């Protein structure tokens, strides 16, 4: 099968490379000429484990190509995936569909025969209907189908998620689209990946419902963590105690600084907007959004308390900037409001992130960047773990303690426990660790 992928970002590049690895012929198209040149030169524009090798081997086998020219990209294609960004619209938080609709208009003008157009971008219910209208308005060949195939991959584990998905959701209202998508995903049937065929609108909403529920789990455990701190319980154990229940599941029950990233914040807002436009209240998700906003805003207060109440003149080391480990993605990362508030409070911040520095630098003016975790700890009054990169899991806390000026280890991801920190002479400030005299802030 020949496939074109419009948008070569975190989703488009991974999906394109994985489809090529299944044996399909894929051309990835992007407007960003610098990005396409970079990939052609063998350098990945994003940091995603395993991606470079996957892209390289499929280019070498002649199954994966890159271009800025849409007409060239769709020349042999039977299916065209749209994987452009759908950020939150300034002002009202609804999904900004400008990139999607622009891509569809360009596509309609470049098409010479009917194709199956598949939306992989996360788009609000009804976007597929509007895409079909635009294609017709712009004179796309008769017989063109529009399907929805939302993507559920997670950055940092994107290739594995794409190749061994929990499920594939296809929203299609005609047989041609269903047949083409079945053929594209046929290699995954060998892995017994369930494929769900639904109506297009149902598939569009399924993606938002999934992200909203996961965001809710995170906010739930964060509120439980607050309660644990107040009543002397340990949220790690509560999470394990509830997560072993199959009806609940252990994932997304890690208390921390609040969810961030390129999906949950914008998708929860867009879902609320969809509900508002439909005249249907979504009180749970509305609460989740405000709980999470408040949580992110409150993280700097935890650091302030750990250094005696005031941030003025304090030196704070920060470990981890990206919204989660194994990605360079800084979109809506909890580190951003945290660090902004630390700076506003008069602190000096020195941060280290294993891969996020390039993306973080323009977003965090006024901070210093260290070359490693130990350099970030040097002369710090408090060391704050914001992102749980693996390399922060086995730090030599004795060395850290010697390098620091103060004693506070503010562990917003519960990487360490109180006793380990105490042995090194540090005071551990975890999240939701209220048990056995555990200090919380
Ligand atoms: N990042 C994730 O983990 C993830 C997971 C699931 C779903 N999604 C969804 O997938 C979509 C894409 O997300 P992303 O993180 O890959 O975005 P991204 O910003 O990394 O990539 C989007 C790419 O599209 C390109 N583009 C924009 N308009 C174009 C056009 N007209 N023609 C060609 N290229 C164009 C941009 O240059 C950019 O390279 C979003 O809707 C997002 O919500 C993302």
């Amino acid at each position: 099968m020949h496939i074109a992928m419009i948008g070569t970002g975190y989703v488009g590049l991974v999906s394109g490379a994985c489809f090529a690895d299944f044996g399909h012929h894929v051309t990835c198209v992007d407007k960003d000429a610098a990005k396409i040149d970079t990939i052609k030169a063998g350098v990945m524009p994003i940091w995603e484990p395993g991606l470079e090798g996957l892209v390289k081997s499929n280019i070498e086998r002649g199954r994966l190509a890159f271009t800025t020219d849409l007409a060239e990209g769709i020349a042999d294609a039977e299916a065209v995936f749209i994987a452009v960004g759908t950020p939150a619209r300034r002002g009202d938080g609804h999904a900004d569909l400008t990139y999607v609709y622009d891509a569809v208009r360009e596509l309609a003008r470049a098409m010479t025969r009917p194709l199956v157009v598949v939306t992989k971008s996360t788009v609000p219910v009804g976007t597929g209907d509007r895409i079909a209208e635009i294609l017709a308005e712009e004179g796309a060949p008769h017989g063109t189908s529009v399907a929805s195939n939302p993507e559920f991959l997670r950055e940092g584990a994107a290739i594995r998620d794409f190749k061994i998905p929990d499920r594939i959701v296809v929203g299609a209202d005609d047989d041609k689209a269903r047949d083409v998508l079945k053929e594209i995903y046929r290699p995954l049937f060998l892995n017994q990946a369930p494929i769900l065929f639904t109506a297009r609108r149902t598939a569009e909403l399924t993606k938002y419902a999934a992200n909203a529920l996961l965001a809710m789990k995170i906010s739930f455990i964060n509120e439980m963590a607050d309660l644990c701190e107040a009543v002397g319980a340990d949220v790690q154990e509560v999470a394990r105690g509830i997560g072993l229940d199959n009806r609940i599941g252990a994932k997304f029950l890690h208390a921390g600084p609040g969810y961030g990233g390129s999906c949950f914040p914008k998708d929860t807002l867009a879902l609320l907007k969809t509900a508002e436009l439909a005249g249907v209240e979504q009180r749970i998700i509305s609460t989740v959004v405000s709980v999470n906003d408040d949580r992110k805003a409150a993280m700097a207060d935890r650091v302030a308390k750990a250094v005696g109440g005031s941030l003025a003149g304090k030196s704070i080391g920060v470990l981890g900037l990206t919204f989660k480990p194994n990605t360079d993605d800084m979109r809506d990362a909890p580190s951003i409001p945290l660090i902004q508030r630390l700076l506003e409070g008069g602190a000096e911040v020195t941060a280290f992130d294993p891969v996020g520095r390039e993306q973080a630098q323009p977003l965090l003016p006024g901070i210093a960047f260290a070359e490693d975790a130990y350099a970030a700890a040097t002369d710090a009054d408090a060391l704050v773990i914001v992102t749980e990169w693996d390399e922060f899991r086995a730090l030599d806390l004795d060395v850290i303690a010697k390098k620091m000026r103060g004693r506070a280890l503010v562990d917003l991801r519960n990487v360490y426990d109180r006793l380990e920190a105490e042995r090194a002479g540090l005071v551990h400030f975890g999240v939701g660790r209220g048990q056995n005299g555990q200090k919380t802030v």
Side-chain angles (χ1 to χ4, degrees):
M1 180 82 69
H2 285 259
I3 296 169
M5 184 70 62
I6 305 181
T8 309
Y10 286 86
V11 165
L13 182 53
V14 170
S15 309
C18 288
F19 280 146
D21 212 45
F22 296 164
H24 299 308
H25 288 266
V26 181
T27 306
C28 292
V29 184
D30 206 288
K31 272 180 124 56
D32 183 341
K35 190 176 264 191
I36 294 296
D37 288 344
T38 308
I39 301 171
K40 281 181 168 171
V43 179
M44 293 302 102
I46 56 168
W47 199 89
E48 180 64 43
L51 186 61
E52 190 174 329
L54 193 74
V55 168
K56 191 166 174 271
S57 65
N58 282 286
I59 292 175
E60 279 164 10
R61 290 190 177 91
R63 293 197 298 247
L64 182 60
F66 295 88
T67 182
T68 53
D69 182 342
L70 182 59
E72 179 192 319
I74 64 165
D76 298 317
E78 290 152 83
V80 180
F81 284 80
I82 296 170
V84 301
T86 50
R89 193 161 64 189
R90 271 181 201 282
D92 68 357
H94 206 17
D96 181 351
L97 296 172
T98 314
Y99 300 106
V100 173
Y101 294 150
D102 284 353
V104 171
R105 282 191 194 93
E106 291 159 28
L107 175 64
R109 290 178 214 133
M111 280 166 67
T112 54
R113 59 187 193 295
L115 297 171
V116 176
V117 177
V118 189
T119 314
K120 208 167 231 332
S121 299
T122 303
V123 294
V125 174
T127 303
D129 301 354
R130 181 67 194 126
I131 289 175
E133 278 169 21
I134 294 174
L135 287 167
E137 284 161 21
E138 298 288 336
H142 192 67
T144 293
S145 303
V146 177
S148 161
N149 171 220
E151 183 49 58
F152 297 96
L153 63 76
R154 294 161 302 165
E155 288 172 21
I159 294 170
R160 192 196 169 278
D161 283 353
F162 197 88
K163 289 191 164 184
I164 314 172
D166 289 339
R167 79 309 206 180
I168 299 150
V169 175
V170 171
D173 295 333
D174 65 90
D175 288 340
K176 183 180 158 197
R178 270 189 288 270
D179 290 347
V180 165
L181 278 151
K182 203 184 264 176
E183 185 56 24
I184 289 173
Y185 280 108
R186 199 173 45 80
L188 286 185
F189 300 168
L190 299 172
N191 299 340
Q192 316 244 306
I195 183 161
L196 260 73
F197 288 99
T198 69
R200 201 165 58 202
R201 285 180 163 246
T202 304
E204 289 169 339
L205 186 58
T206 302
K207 171 67 188 173
Y208 284 97
N211 276 357
L213 191 96
L214 293 172
M216 184 183 78
K217 271 185 106 174
I218 295 173
S219 288
F220 173 84
I221 203 68
N222 282 337
E223 286 210 321
M224 277 302 132
D226 289 347
L227 189 55
C228 284
E229 289 168 9
V231 300
D234 186 328
V235 77
Q236 302 268 86
E237 288 169 19
V238 171
R240 188 162 157 73
I242 60 175
L244 285 169
D245 184 328
N246 282 333
R247 295 169 302 176
I248 296 172
K251 304 239 173 90
F252 287 79
L253 288 179
H254 301 285
Y259 61 77
S262 61
C263 292
F264 291 177
K266 79 172 175 65
D267 292 349
T268 43
L269 286 181
L271 181 61
L272 287 179
K273 198 71 198 169
T274 297
E276 186 190 316
L277 293 172
V280 178
E281 257 192 310
Q282 293 290 305
R283 282 178 295 167
I284 294 174
I285 298 311
S286 163
T287 305
V288 165
V289 169
S290 57
V291 165
N292 195 61
D293 286 347
D294 292 351
R295 187 159 191 90
K296 280 165 130 178
M299 288 301 112
D301 295 342
R302 290 183 172 244
V303 181
K305 282 187 196 147
V307 294
S310 168
L311 291 163
K314 294 291 190 313
S315 172
I316 310 295
V318 169
L319 299 186
L321 295 170
T322 53
F323 86 92
K324 66 172 178 177
N326 293 321
T327 181
D328 59 349
D329 201 338
M330 282 293 297
R331 287 177 281 187
D332 267 316
S335 64
I336 300 172
L338 165 69
I339 289 175
Q340 282 165 347
R341 284 186 164 75
L342 293 177
L343 295 173
E344 281 160 20
E348 283 180 5
V349 175
T350 303
F352 169 69
D353 188 280
V355 306
R357 180 172 175 165
E358 199 181 318
Q359 306 257 11
Q361 231 154 359
L363 300 171
L364 294 168
I367 70 166
F369 286 88
E371 292 307 317
D372 62 25
Y374 297 96
T378 302
D379 295 332
D381 294 293
L383 186 64
V384 188
I385 301 177
V386 184
T387 313
E388 68 282 29
W389 283 89
D390 275 347
E391 69 176 82
F392 302 151
R393 291 183 185 278
L395 294 172
D396 187 332
L397 293 185
D398 291 323
V399 176
I400 293 277
K402 282 200 190 85
K403 289 191 176 284
M404 285 176 65
R405 185 162 67 197
R407 302 288 87 193
L409 178 63
V410 183
D411 184 359
L412 299 181
R413 298 290 183 174
N414 288 335
V415 172
Y416 293 96
D417 66 30
R418 179 178 60 92
L419 293 177
E420 280 172 294
E422 267 178 16
R423 275 195 292 271
L426 294 170
V427 183
H428 184 252
F429 297 90
V431 175
R433 317 294 301 275
Q435 214 170 29
N436 301 329
Q438 168 79 13
K439 248 192 170 27
T440 53
V441 282

